[in-house]
Amino acid sequence: MLICSAVWAATVAVVTLIPPRFESSTILLVDTAAMKATAARYTSVEDVVSAFGLPKVANQAAVLRTVPAIAEAAATKLTADLPADQLALLPTTEVAGLVEWLRESAILITAEAGKDDADLIHITAKAGGPELASAVSTSYAESYMSMMRAAVARSREQALALQRGRVAEVGDELTALDDQLRTFIQNNGSISIEEDANRAATRISDLQTALDDARIAFSTHSATLETLESELDGLDLASLAERVGSSVESEITATQEQLTTAELSLEQYYSKYPELRADPSGSPQVMKLVNDVKAMRSRLDGLSAQYVREVMATGGVDLGSDSDGRAYVLNLRQQIAQQRVAKRASEARVAAINSRLAAFERSRSQFSSQSVSLTQIQRGRDLANTRLKTEIDRLGQLQVDEPTEFIKRIQSALAPDEQAFPNVKLFVLAGLFLGLLLGGGAAFGWSAIDSSVYGEEDLAQFGVPVFGNLPDLTRVVKKLVGRTSTVDVGGRVVSSRLVVMHAPQAAESAIIRKYAIGLAARTPRGGTILFTSADMGAGKTTLTANVGAALSLAGYRTLVIDADIFRPGQSETLGLTPRSSLDVETGAFGQGGGVEQFGGILQLLFGLKLRARIPSDGEAQAAQAAVHLARFYGQHFDYVLVDAPPTAASSIAAGIGRYAHTRVLVVGAGKTHTDLVRMSLAELQSMGSAATEIAINRMDMSEPTAVRSAYQQAQAYYGGAQME
């Protein structure tokens, strides 16, 4: 009662001493569609609101908070317009001091998305008087709107000046081209552009494009071939057959050279007689060349296919019974052979096109150099004329444009009738409630002694080593996935608390991985690790699943057996399906069932669960089945993890423990009492399956302990979830 009264009295005193504070708000409507349209019209400079962020309402709210010029304009307006009685309520009348006051404490900016591209910005002022709060909010809003209008006007003038410069620049270029054309005609006369010159220039342009494509193809095939050959050279195989050289390669080379020669001859005929390109039947020589080219291309395709087949027939490797690896290497060799053929074909095509270009360049030299020069001048003049028209049109649009008012005030700041802080009634009631709470808590603390386990010192009396101090996963799960209880990992729906799988960079995952590797070091290969707990809610099932996932990610073939026939938690945690259920009475899986293998990066993780038709009658059978499975699968897996029910509720853990190599008792930090720990250890000891170690789970990492320091180091190193 004394504590309650003291807290209540202190609250009343604080409320009395705190000066009142009033709040008043101005609401601005931001037409974001109009803002974006204005920015689009002035793309010739930086943004229309370059000094004020991008045209988004959230950016405008940030502008109001951070740009000093807005606060300076508002402070200047306040000192000039406020009456003397309101000036007296200001913390200072100096502009610099008022700017700091406005930005640090007097102004609160909030933004909210509205409808149909119309968003709202609330400018709330906090001051010692109702009229002052209204004046501060109004001045701040007017300063912001004025600066936005000035920014838009400046941007418009800059855009106009830049556009005028562009029009003048293109006009000067067009004038220079006109002068060059007149001079050319005076010196050379009027020259018509021969049809052959146009045709040659067009053909050269096409060939240059084709040459670029061929060079790109050659570079692509060369890079791909180099990558594939590096991958093949890096294979660690006992024996790697050397590819036997094929005579087909020389035939491919010879055929390619013949094809290049024939194509060059054909192009020379086409250059001399252009009409034969559409219909070569008018010349027997040309017709024969056309048929020869088709035949050689067909033969080249056949030789390429034969080359690939021969390479595959002589370049395989012998991997014994590893058919998957053999298929992989054979496929890799096939890709290498194909890329070599493609590379040679691309190289030959580059050479052929270069030869054609040289031929056309020689033919083009026959045309008048004056004709080519005139063509270039005329084309440049046409392009400049088009650009000038475009720039003049844009200048005209800017000159007639009037900036749109995209920020409007829809609610003016009014003088409030009541103070916003402190709320006397609320403070008095809160003080009374806090006093009762503290008084009751103190009374309860003195009347009871908490015997829960919080750290290793609480377990020292039992003489069992503590190898795991594992964090509570609630905070990281809430931070990453919110209130979602499951996540999809590689097509499998698992518990969101399985952080090792879906949040490997979290500090919590790093600590669990470190514990899992240590646990593996303390257990022989093929050994069984039993997980049990003294009571429910210690996080045993989640810890077992996370340790299994961590071991599989570390490269160990790991099997998780859910031996809890009463509450099979791994069905939800690991997402085990009914097909992995084994009947403890028959010792068999259902039809089509068996050990369930995970996929993706967890392909080394497997799981199964035990089930009993009448769980209360099947504890002994469940223990025997788990022991039999652990012994059998221990020959095929690096580690077998058994998730057994709590010792306080079932004897299954004690029945399995005597055959397990490592027996872990999971204790919930701040939950499991030392009396329960003592009882669990005694029960396991009486059955010949004494616990080999204890893991303290769900520890609160906000307490200043050595464990928390280690957790913070893991956060800094792995970039895990941040502490609050």
Side-chain angles (χ1 to χ4, degrees), residues 553-582:
L553 291 174
Y556 298 111
R557 284 175 57 86
T558 306
L559 173 65
V560 176
I561 300 176
D562 189 349
D564 193 339
I565 59 177
F566 300 94
R567 300 167 63 91
Q570 297 300 346
S571 296
E572 177 182 352
T573 306
L574 284 178
L576 295 180
T577 61
R579 65 176 298 274
S580 64
S581 298
L582 183 140

PDB file of all heavy atoms in Angstrom, residues 553-582:
ATOM      1  N   LEU A 553      22.829 -29.646 -43.529  1.00  0.00           N
ATOM      2  CA  LEU A 553      23.483 -28.562 -44.262  1.00  0.00           C
ATOM      3  C   LEU A 553      24.992 -28.630 -44.119  1.00  0.00           C
ATOM      4  O   LEU A 553      25.729 -28.131 -44.980  1.00  0.00           O
ATOM      5  CB  LEU A 553      22.968 -27.211 -43.769  1.00  0.00           C
ATOM      6  CG  LEU A 553      21.507 -26.875 -44.118  1.00  0.00           C
ATOM      7  CD1 LEU A 553      21.086 -25.581 -43.457  1.00  0.00           C
ATOM      8  CD2 LEU A 553      21.333 -26.772 -45.625  1.00  0.00           C
ATOM      9  N   ALA A 554      25.472 -29.243 -43.015  1.00  0.00           N
ATOM     10  CA  ALA A 554      26.912 -29.398 -42.811  1.00  0.00           C
ATOM     11  C   ALA A 554      27.459 -30.609 -43.561  1.00  0.00           C
ATOM     12  O   ALA A 554      28.655 -30.897 -43.471  1.00  0.00           O
ATOM     13  CB  ALA A 554      27.212 -29.528 -41.316  1.00  0.00           C
ATOM     14  N   GLY A 555      26.625 -31.351 -44.270  1.00  0.00           N
ATOM     15  CA  GLY A 555      27.088 -32.464 -45.075  1.00  0.00           C
ATOM     16  C   GLY A 555      26.887 -33.827 -44.466  1.00  0.00           C
ATOM     17  O   GLY A 555      27.404 -34.817 -44.991  1.00  0.00           O
ATOM     18  N   TYR A 556      26.131 -33.917 -43.348  1.00  0.00           N
ATOM     19  CA  TYR A 556      25.897 -35.207 -42.708  1.00  0.00           C
ATOM     20  C   TYR A 556      24.530 -35.751 -43.129  1.00  0.00           C
ATOM     21  O   TYR A 556      23.523 -35.028 -43.097  1.00  0.00           O
ATOM     22  CB  TYR A 556      25.921 -35.054 -41.182  1.00  0.00           C
ATOM     23  CG  TYR A 556      27.245 -34.583 -40.628  1.00  0.00           C
ATOM     24  CD1 TYR A 556      27.373 -33.305 -40.074  1.00  0.00           C
ATOM     25  CD2 TYR A 556      28.367 -35.402 -40.659  1.00  0.00           C
ATOM     26  CE1 TYR A 556      28.579 -32.861 -39.569  1.00  0.00           C
ATOM     27  CE2 TYR A 556      29.575 -34.961 -40.137  1.00  0.00           C
ATOM     28  CZ  TYR A 556      29.681 -33.694 -39.599  1.00  0.00           C
ATOM     29  OH  TYR A 556      30.870 -33.272 -39.092  1.00  0.00           O
ATOM     30  N   ARG A 557      24.499 -37.025 -43.513  1.00  0.00           N
ATOM     31  CA  ARG A 557      23.216 -37.693 -43.770  1.00  0.00           C
ATOM     32  C   ARG A 557      22.527 -37.886 -42.420  1.00  0.00           C
ATOM     33  O   ARG A 557      23.038 -38.607 -41.552  1.00  0.00           O
ATOM     34  CB  ARG A 557      23.441 -39.047 -44.463  1.00  0.00           C
ATOM     35  CG  ARG A 557      23.786 -38.917 -45.950  1.00  0.00           C
ATOM     36  CD  ARG A 557      24.128 -40.285 -46.546  1.00  0.00           C
ATOM     37  NE  ARG A 557      23.063 -41.244 -46.366  1.00  0.00           N
ATOM     38  CZ  ARG A 557      22.029 -41.396 -47.179  1.00  0.00           C
ATOM     39  NH1 ARG A 557      21.922 -40.630 -48.245  1.00  0.00           N
ATOM     40  NH2 ARG A 557      21.100 -42.330 -46.959  1.00  0.00           N
ATOM     41  N   THR A 558      21.401 -37.246 -42.237  1.00  0.00           N
ATOM     42  CA  THR A 558      20.760 -37.177 -40.930  1.00  0.00           C
ATOM     43  C   THR A 558      19.320 -37.661 -41.033  1.00  0.00           C
ATOM     44  O   THR A 558      18.575 -37.253 -41.932  1.00  0.00           O
ATOM     45  CB  THR A 558      20.775 -35.727 -40.394  1.00  0.00           C
ATOM     46  OG1 THR A 558      22.122 -35.251 -40.414  1.00  0.00           O
ATOM     47  CG2 THR A 558      20.251 -35.682 -38.975  1.00  0.00           C
ATOM     48  N   LEU A 559      18.934 -38.528 -40.082  1.00  0.00           N
ATOM     49  CA  LEU A 559      17.566 -39.030 -40.002  1.00  0.00           C
ATOM     50  C   LEU A 559      16.934 -38.543 -38.701  1.00  0.00           C
ATOM     51  O   LEU A 559      17.526 -38.703 -37.624  1.00  0.00           O
ATOM     52  CB  LEU A 559      17.553 -40.566 -40.043  1.00  0.00           C
ATOM     53  CG  LEU A 559      16.185 -41.231 -39.789  1.00  0.00           C
ATOM     54  CD1 LEU A 559      15.202 -40.883 -40.890  1.00  0.00           C
ATOM     55  CD2 LEU A 559      16.339 -42.742 -39.658  1.00  0.00           C
ATOM     56  N   VAL A 560      15.743 -37.931 -38.785  1.00  0.00           N
ATOM     57  CA  VAL A 560      14.994 -37.483 -37.612  1.00  0.00           C
ATOM     58  C   VAL A 560      13.811 -38.429 -37.423  1.00  0.00           C
ATOM     59  O   VAL A 560      12.985 -38.588 -38.319  1.00  0.00           O
ATOM     60  CB  VAL A 560      14.504 -36.034 -37.777  1.00  0.00           C
ATOM     61  CG1 VAL A 560      13.652 -35.640 -36.573  1.00  0.00           C
ATOM     62  CG2 VAL A 560      15.676 -35.088 -37.930  1.00  0.00           C
ATOM     63  N   ILE A 561      13.748 -39.074 -36.224  1.00  0.00           N
ATOM     64  CA  ILE A 561      12.651 -39.978 -35.893  1.00  0.00           C
ATOM     65  C   ILE A 561      11.777 -39.307 -34.841  1.00  0.00           C
ATOM     66  O   ILE A 561      12.259 -38.969 -33.759  1.00  0.00           O
ATOM     67  CB  ILE A 561      13.182 -41.326 -35.363  1.00  0.00           C
ATOM     68  CG1 ILE A 561      14.053 -42.018 -36.416  1.00  0.00           C
ATOM     69  CG2 ILE A 561      12.024 -42.234 -34.963  1.00  0.00           C
ATOM     70  CD1 ILE A 561      14.678 -43.304 -35.923  1.00  0.00           C
ATOM     71  N   ASP A 562      10.511 -39.092 -35.153  1.00  0.00           N
ATOM     72  CA  ASP A 562       9.566 -38.536 -34.197  1.00  0.00           C
ATOM     73  C   ASP A 562       8.954 -39.705 -33.421  1.00  0.00           C
ATOM     74  O   ASP A 562       8.062 -40.407 -33.916  1.00  0.00           O
ATOM     75  CB  ASP A 562       8.478 -37.735 -34.924  1.00  0.00           C
ATOM     76  CG  ASP A 562       7.603 -36.950 -33.948  1.00  0.00           C
ATOM     77  OD1 ASP A 562       7.713 -37.185 -32.731  1.00  0.00           O
ATOM     78  OD2 ASP A 562       6.807 -36.118 -34.418  1.00  0.00           O
ATOM     79  N   ALA A 563       9.457 -39.931 -32.180  1.00  0.00           N
ATOM     80  CA  ALA A 563       8.999 -41.057 -31.366  1.00  0.00           C
ATOM     81  C   ALA A 563       7.881 -40.665 -30.414  1.00  0.00           C
ATOM     82  O   ALA A 563       7.507 -41.453 -29.538  1.00  0.00           O
ATOM     83  CB  ALA A 563      10.178 -41.644 -30.582  1.00  0.00           C
ATOM     84  N   ASP A 564       7.352 -39.448 -30.562  1.00  0.00           N
ATOM     85  CA  ASP A 564       6.263 -39.001 -29.688  1.00  0.00           C
ATOM     86  C   ASP A 564       4.941 -39.442 -30.309  1.00  0.00           C
ATOM     87  O   ASP A 564       4.398 -38.779 -31.207  1.00  0.00           O
ATOM     88  CB  ASP A 564       6.312 -37.478 -29.535  1.00  0.00           C
ATOM     89  CG  ASP A 564       5.420 -36.989 -28.403  1.00  0.00           C
ATOM     90  OD1 ASP A 564       4.495 -37.736 -28.008  1.00  0.00           O
ATOM     91  OD2 ASP A 564       5.649 -35.873 -27.932  1.00  0.00           O
ATOM     92  N   ILE A 565       4.414 -40.591 -29.843  1.00  0.00           N
ATOM     93  CA  ILE A 565       3.170 -41.124 -30.421  1.00  0.00           C
ATOM     94  C   ILE A 565       1.950 -40.381 -29.908  1.00  0.00           C
ATOM     95  O   ILE A 565       0.844 -40.578 -30.410  1.00  0.00           O
ATOM     96  CB  ILE A 565       3.045 -42.633 -30.125  1.00  0.00           C
ATOM     97  CG1 ILE A 565       3.061 -42.878 -28.609  1.00  0.00           C
ATOM     98  CG2 ILE A 565       4.158 -43.413 -30.814  1.00  0.00           C
ATOM     99  CD1 ILE A 565       2.872 -44.341 -28.228  1.00  0.00           C
ATOM    100  N   PHE A 566       2.142 -39.528 -28.868  1.00  0.00           N
ATOM    101  CA  PHE A 566       1.009 -38.784 -28.314  1.00  0.00           C
ATOM    102  C   PHE A 566       0.839 -37.433 -29.016  1.00  0.00           C
ATOM    103  O   PHE A 566      -0.271 -37.063 -29.402  1.00  0.00           O
ATOM    104  CB  PHE A 566       1.216 -38.555 -26.806  1.00  0.00           C
ATOM    105  CG  PHE A 566       1.344 -39.818 -26.013  1.00  0.00           C
ATOM    106  CD1 PHE A 566       2.598 -40.352 -25.728  1.00  0.00           C
ATOM    107  CD2 PHE A 566       0.222 -40.497 -25.581  1.00  0.00           C
ATOM    108  CE1 PHE A 566       2.725 -41.518 -24.990  1.00  0.00           C
ATOM    109  CE2 PHE A 566       0.326 -41.664 -24.841  1.00  0.00           C
ATOM    110  CZ  PHE A 566       1.596 -42.185 -24.550  1.00  0.00           C
ATOM    111  N   ARG A 567       1.963 -36.708 -29.193  1.00  0.00           N
ATOM    112  CA  ARG A 567       1.934 -35.382 -29.818  1.00  0.00           C
ATOM    113  C   ARG A 567       3.055 -35.315 -30.865  1.00  0.00           C
ATOM    114  O   ARG A 567       4.119 -34.760 -30.610  1.00  0.00           O
ATOM    115  CB  ARG A 567       2.119 -34.284 -28.765  1.00  0.00           C
ATOM    116  CG  ARG A 567       1.045 -34.286 -27.680  1.00  0.00           C
ATOM    117  CD  ARG A 567       1.458 -33.401 -26.504  1.00  0.00           C
ATOM    118  NE  ARG A 567       1.590 -32.015 -26.904  1.00  0.00           N
ATOM    119  CZ  ARG A 567       0.603 -31.123 -26.854  1.00  0.00           C
ATOM    120  NH1 ARG A 567      -0.598 -31.496 -26.418  1.00  0.00           N
ATOM    121  NH2 ARG A 567       0.789 -29.888 -27.217  1.00  0.00           N
ATOM    122  N   PRO A 568       2.834 -35.912 -32.039  1.00  0.00           N
ATOM    123  CA  PRO A 568       3.890 -35.953 -33.061  1.00  0.00           C
ATOM    124  C   PRO A 568       4.151 -34.567 -33.656  1.00  0.00           C
ATOM    125  O   PRO A 568       3.585 -34.198 -34.683  1.00  0.00           O
ATOM    126  CB  PRO A 568       3.330 -36.919 -34.108  1.00  0.00           C
ATOM    127  CG  PRO A 568       1.845 -36.852 -33.934  1.00  0.00           C
ATOM    128  CD  PRO A 568       1.597 -36.591 -32.473  1.00  0.00           C
ATOM    129  N   GLY A 569       5.008 -33.809 -32.997  1.00  0.00           N
ATOM    130  CA  GLY A 569       5.222 -32.413 -33.400  1.00  0.00           C
ATOM    131  C   GLY A 569       5.985 -32.239 -34.696  1.00  0.00           C
ATOM    132  O   GLY A 569       5.908 -31.189 -35.336  1.00  0.00           O
ATOM    133  N   GLN A 570       6.760 -33.244 -35.128  1.00  0.00           N
ATOM    134  CA  GLN A 570       7.535 -33.075 -36.354  1.00  0.00           C
ATOM    135  C   GLN A 570       6.657 -33.035 -37.600  1.00  0.00           C
ATOM    136  O   GLN A 570       7.110 -32.625 -38.664  1.00  0.00           O
ATOM    137  CB  GLN A 570       8.567 -34.214 -36.485  1.00  0.00           C
ATOM    138  CG  GLN A 570       9.614 -34.244 -35.390  1.00  0.00           C
ATOM    139  CD  GLN A 570      10.440 -32.963 -35.332  1.00  0.00           C
ATOM    140  OE1 GLN A 570      10.409 -32.152 -36.264  1.00  0.00           O
ATOM    141  NE2 GLN A 570      11.141 -32.764 -34.235  1.00  0.00           N
ATOM    142  N   SER A 571       5.402 -33.474 -37.481  1.00  0.00           N
ATOM    143  CA  SER A 571       4.497 -33.365 -38.632  1.00  0.00           C
ATOM    144  C   SER A 571       4.340 -31.914 -39.038  1.00  0.00           C
ATOM    145  O   SER A 571       4.269 -31.586 -40.226  1.00  0.00           O
ATOM    146  CB  SER A 571       3.130 -33.967 -38.286  1.00  0.00           C
ATOM    147  OG  SER A 571       3.236 -35.350 -38.033  1.00  0.00           O
ATOM    148  N   GLU A 572       4.276 -31.032 -38.039  1.00  0.00           N
ATOM    149  CA  GLU A 572       4.147 -29.605 -38.333  1.00  0.00           C
ATOM    150  C   GLU A 572       5.504 -28.949 -38.516  1.00  0.00           C
ATOM    151  O   GLU A 572       5.706 -28.149 -39.422  1.00  0.00           O
ATOM    152  CB  GLU A 572       3.385 -28.903 -37.208  1.00  0.00           C
ATOM    153  CG  GLU A 572       3.278 -27.393 -37.404  1.00  0.00           C
ATOM    154  CD  GLU A 572       2.571 -26.707 -36.251  1.00  0.00           C
ATOM    155  OE1 GLU A 572       2.037 -27.424 -35.385  1.00  0.00           O
ATOM    156  OE2 GLU A 572       2.559 -25.474 -36.225  1.00  0.00           O
ATOM    157  N   THR A 573       6.465 -29.295 -37.636  1.00  0.00           N
ATOM    158  CA  THR A 573       7.759 -28.609 -37.662  1.00  0.00           C
ATOM    159  C   THR A 573       8.518 -28.907 -38.944  1.00  0.00           C
ATOM    160  O   THR A 573       8.989 -27.998 -39.635  1.00  0.00           O
ATOM    161  CB  THR A 573       8.593 -29.024 -36.439  1.00  0.00           C
ATOM    162  OG1 THR A 573       7.831 -28.807 -35.257  1.00  0.00           O
ATOM    163  CG2 THR A 573       9.872 -28.195 -36.375  1.00  0.00           C
ATOM    164  N   LEU A 574       8.676 -30.202 -39.276  1.00  0.00           N
ATOM    165  CA  LEU A 574       9.394 -30.584 -40.488  1.00  0.00           C
ATOM    166  C   LEU A 574       8.466 -30.835 -41.668  1.00  0.00           C
ATOM    167  O   LEU A 574       8.929 -31.093 -42.773  1.00  0.00           O
ATOM    168  CB  LEU A 574      10.224 -31.847 -40.231  1.00  0.00           C
ATOM    169  CG  LEU A 574      11.510 -31.667 -39.421  1.00  0.00           C
ATOM    170  CD1 LEU A 574      12.193 -33.003 -39.219  1.00  0.00           C
ATOM    171  CD2 LEU A 574      12.452 -30.689 -40.101  1.00  0.00           C
ATOM    172  N   GLY A 575       7.155 -30.798 -41.431  1.00  0.00           N
ATOM    173  CA  GLY A 575       6.221 -31.035 -42.518  1.00  0.00           C
ATOM    174  C   GLY A 575       6.184 -32.479 -42.976  1.00  0.00           C
ATOM    175  O   GLY A 575       5.992 -32.755 -44.165  1.00  0.00           O
ATOM    176  N   LEU A 576       6.404 -33.437 -42.021  1.00  0.00           N
ATOM    177  CA  LEU A 576       6.361 -34.850 -42.389  1.00  0.00           C
ATOM    178  C   LEU A 576       4.939 -35.241 -42.782  1.00  0.00           C
ATOM    179  O   LEU A 576       3.970 -34.872 -42.124  1.00  0.00           O
ATOM    180  CB  LEU A 576       6.847 -35.719 -41.225  1.00  0.00           C
ATOM    181  CG  LEU A 576       8.319 -35.546 -40.816  1.00  0.00           C
ATOM    182  CD1 LEU A 576       8.652 -36.467 -39.661  1.00  0.00           C
ATOM    183  CD2 LEU A 576       9.238 -35.818 -41.989  1.00  0.00           C
ATOM    184  N   THR A 577       4.815 -35.995 -43.839  1.00  0.00           N
ATOM    185  CA  THR A 577       3.512 -36.402 -44.355  1.00  0.00           C
ATOM    186  C   THR A 577       3.123 -37.767 -43.809  1.00  0.00           C
ATOM    187  O   THR A 577       3.967 -38.499 -43.271  1.00  0.00           O
ATOM    188  CB  THR A 577       3.552 -36.448 -45.891  1.00  0.00           C
ATOM    189  OG1 THR A 577       4.530 -37.413 -46.282  1.00  0.00           O
ATOM    190  CG2 THR A 577       3.946 -35.089 -46.458  1.00  0.00           C
ATOM    191  N   PRO A 578       1.850 -38.183 -43.934  1.00  0.00           N
ATOM    192  CA  PRO A 578       1.416 -39.489 -43.422  1.00  0.00           C
ATOM    193  C   PRO A 578       2.161 -40.674 -44.026  1.00  0.00           C
ATOM    194  O   PRO A 578       2.259 -41.729 -43.408  1.00  0.00           O
ATOM    195  CB  PRO A 578      -0.069 -39.527 -43.790  1.00  0.00           C
ATOM    196  CG  PRO A 578      -0.475 -38.088 -43.844  1.00  0.00           C
ATOM    197  CD  PRO A 578       0.707 -37.347 -44.375  1.00  0.00           C
ATOM    198  N   ARG A 579       2.739 -40.512 -45.238  1.00  0.00           N
ATOM    199  CA  ARG A 579       3.421 -41.650 -45.847  1.00  0.00           C
ATOM    200  C   ARG A 579       4.682 -42.050 -45.086  1.00  0.00           C
ATOM    201  O   ARG A 579       5.199 -43.146 -45.276  1.00  0.00           O
ATOM    202  CB  ARG A 579       3.784 -41.331 -47.304  1.00  0.00           C
ATOM    203  CG  ARG A 579       4.792 -40.198 -47.470  1.00  0.00           C
ATOM    204  CD  ARG A 579       5.153 -40.018 -48.937  1.00  0.00           C
ATOM    205  NE  ARG A 579       5.788 -41.197 -49.466  1.00  0.00           N
ATOM    206  CZ  ARG A 579       7.101 -41.434 -49.376  1.00  0.00           C
ATOM    207  NH1 ARG A 579       7.883 -40.582 -48.752  1.00  0.00           N
ATOM    208  NH2 ARG A 579       7.621 -42.523 -49.911  1.00  0.00           N
ATOM    209  N   SER A 580       5.203 -41.163 -44.210  1.00  0.00           N
ATOM    210  CA  SER A 580       6.407 -41.496 -43.447  1.00  0.00           C
ATOM    211  C   SER A 580       6.073 -42.096 -42.084  1.00  0.00           C
ATOM    212  O   SER A 580       6.948 -42.242 -41.247  1.00  0.00           O
ATOM    213  CB  SER A 580       7.269 -40.243 -43.257  1.00  0.00           C
ATOM    214  OG  SER A 580       6.582 -39.277 -42.485  1.00  0.00           O
ATOM    215  N   SER A 581       4.803 -42.430 -41.828  1.00  0.00           N
ATOM    216  CA  SER A 581       4.391 -42.982 -40.532  1.00  0.00           C
ATOM    217  C   SER A 581       4.644 -44.495 -40.487  1.00  0.00           C
ATOM    218  O   SER A 581       4.290 -45.229 -41.411  1.00  0.00           O
ATOM    219  CB  SER A 581       2.906 -42.695 -40.286  1.00  0.00           C
ATOM    220  OG  SER A 581       2.674 -41.314 -40.229  1.00  0.00           O
ATOM    221  N   LEU A 582       5.234 -44.955 -39.373  1.00  0.00           N
ATOM    222  CA  LEU A 582       5.490 -46.378 -39.166  1.00  0.00           C
ATOM    223  C   LEU A 582       4.642 -46.861 -37.999  1.00  0.00           C
ATOM    224  O   LEU A 582       4.680 -46.280 -36.909  1.00  0.00           O
ATOM    225  CB  LEU A 582       6.978 -46.632 -38.895  1.00  0.00           C
ATOM    226  CG  LEU A 582       7.389 -48.089 -38.721  1.00  0.00           C
ATOM    227  CD1 LEU A 582       8.720 -48.354 -39.409  1.00  0.00           C
ATOM    228  CD2 LEU A 582       7.493 -48.452 -37.231  1.00  0.00           C
TER     229      LEU A 582
END
